[in-house]
Amino acid sequence: YRYAQYESVPFTRLARPLGRSRVVLLTTAAPYQPDKGDQSARAPYNAAAKFYKVYSGDTSRDHDLRVSHVGVDRDHLVDDANCWFPLPALRRAAAAGRIGELAQRFHGVPTNRSQRHTIDVDAPEVLARCRADGADAAVLVANCPVCHQTMSLTARHLEANGIPTVLIGAAKDIVETCGVPRFLFSDFPLGSAAGLPHDTASQDATL
C-alpha cells in the first residue's frame, strides 16, 4: 500500500482569534454497535464495527465511540475514549475561553483505504457539514495508520476551502508524507493521540 504523497500544502489563516472561533471536532472513531461483537479496547480487530459514511453527533451529549481499527496498539490501549475523542477536553477549553465555542456537531470521517473515495466523496461531505455548522476551525484526531491518511486528506481539503485545521496524531511519517499545514505529533501509541488514559491534565495539555 502506498500512502498519499504531496509536495505542496494548502494553508488557511484563522479569520479571528481562537478565543472567538467556533471549533469543530472530527474523528475516525466508530459509534459502539452492541450487535457487532467485542469492541473493547483490547478486542481483536473488528471489521464489522467500522462505518463507511460520514456521520454527525451532538456535542452537548456524551457518546460511546470506539477504535476497532487495524494497527492500533491494543497492548497499550485502555477503555478511555478521551484518548481518541477529546470532546470533554474541548468543552473544558470552551468553558475556559481558550476557544470561542464548540460547534453543535462533531463529525465522523470513515477510515477508507481508497484515497480517491476520501478525496472525492468523504472530504467534500465533511466540508459541507463544517460549513453548515459555521465552523471557523477544525481539530482532527487520527487513530490507526490509515486514519492518519484519511484525516490528512480531509485537513488538506478543508484548508484548500477556507477552514483552518490542526491534526492530532501519532503516525508522524504518514502525516508528513501526505502534507498538512498544522500537525501536533503526539508521541503516544496509536489510538491514544489525544492524551494519556485517565489523565485529564495530559488530555488538556495535548488539546
Side-chain angles (χ1 to χ4, degrees), residues 177-194:
T177 298
C178 190
V180 300
R182 302 174 193 83
F183 172 49
L184 174 70
F185 171 54
S186 189
D187 195 12
F188 296 142
L190 292 170
S192 299

Side-chain angles (χ1 to χ4, degrees), residues 18 26 31 45 50 59 62 70 75 77 82 89 100-102 109 113 134 139 148 161 163-165 174 184 194:
L18 192 58
L26 305 182
Y45 171 62
K50 283 176 63 68
T59 56
D62 293 328
V70 168
D75 289 338
L77 198 64
N82 296 297
E101 62 179 323
L102 182 58
V109 188
R113 290 176 179 81
V139 173
H148 283 75
N161 289 278
I163 298 180
T165 65
I174 295 172
L184 174 70

Side-chain angles (χ1 to χ4, degrees), residues 106-120:
F106 70 90
H107 306 296
V109 188
T111 302
N112 203 317
R113 290 176 179 81
S114 168
Q115 297 168 25
R116 179 177 297 177
H117 194 278
T118 298
I119 292 168
D120 293 344

Side-chain angles (χ1 to χ4, degrees), residues 6-202:
Y6 293 94
E7 293 184 359
S8 61
V9 177
F11 180 84
T12 295
R13 295 183 182 278
L14 276 171
R16 56 180 57 86
L18 192 58
R20 293 195 285 112
S21 296
R22 178 178 295 171
V23 177
V24 63
L25 174 61
L26 305 182
T27 181
T28 56
Y32 174 63
Q33 302 175 70
D35 61 333
K36 296 295 173 63
D38 190 357
Q39 296 152 65
S40 64
R42 296 300 175 90
Y45 171 62
N46 184 354
K50 283 176 63 68
F51 65 98
Y52 296 93
K53 293 183 179 180
V54 176
Y55 74 90
S56 300
D58 182 353
T59 56
S60 68
R61 296 177 47 245
D62 293 328
H63 299 266
D64 187 359
L65 302 185
R66 309 291 179 95
V67 286
S68 297
H69 296 171
V70 168
V72 169
D73 188 353
R74 302 193 179 281
D75 289 338
H76 295 91
L77 198 64
V78 300
D79 284 312
D80 181 8
N82 296 297
C83 294
W84 56 81
F85 185 58
L87 179 57
L90 274 165
R91 289 175 182 154
R92 291 191 293 269
R98 297 190 64 188
I99 64 173
E101 62 179 323
L102 182 58
Q104 292 184 345
R105 300 186 297 175
F106 70 90
H107 306 296
V109 188
T111 302
N112 203 317
R113 290 176 179 81
S114 168
Q115 297 168 25
R116 179 177 297 177
H117 194 278
T118 298
I119 292 168
D120 293 344
V121 178
D122 297 333
E125 178 62 23
V126 171
L127 173 65
R129 296 188 189 205
C130 290
R131 282 178 168 168
D133 295 343
D136 297 308
V139 173
L140 302 84
V141 183
N143 295 296
C144 75
V146 179
C147 287
H148 283 75
Q149 174 178 264
T150 294
M151 287 310 213
S152 295
L153 293 173
T154 302
R156 291 178 58 88
H157 188 75
L158 294 179
E159 293 277 348
N161 289 278
I163 298 180
T165 65
V166 60
L167 194 156
I168 300 173
K172 187 170 183 281
D173 53 345
I174 295 172
V175 175
E176 289 186 338
T177 298
C178 190
V180 300
R182 302 174 193 83
F183 172 49
L184 174 70
F185 171 54
S186 189
D187 195 12
F188 296 142
L190 292 170
S192 299
L196 293 171
H198 307 299
D199 188 331
T200 300
S202 169

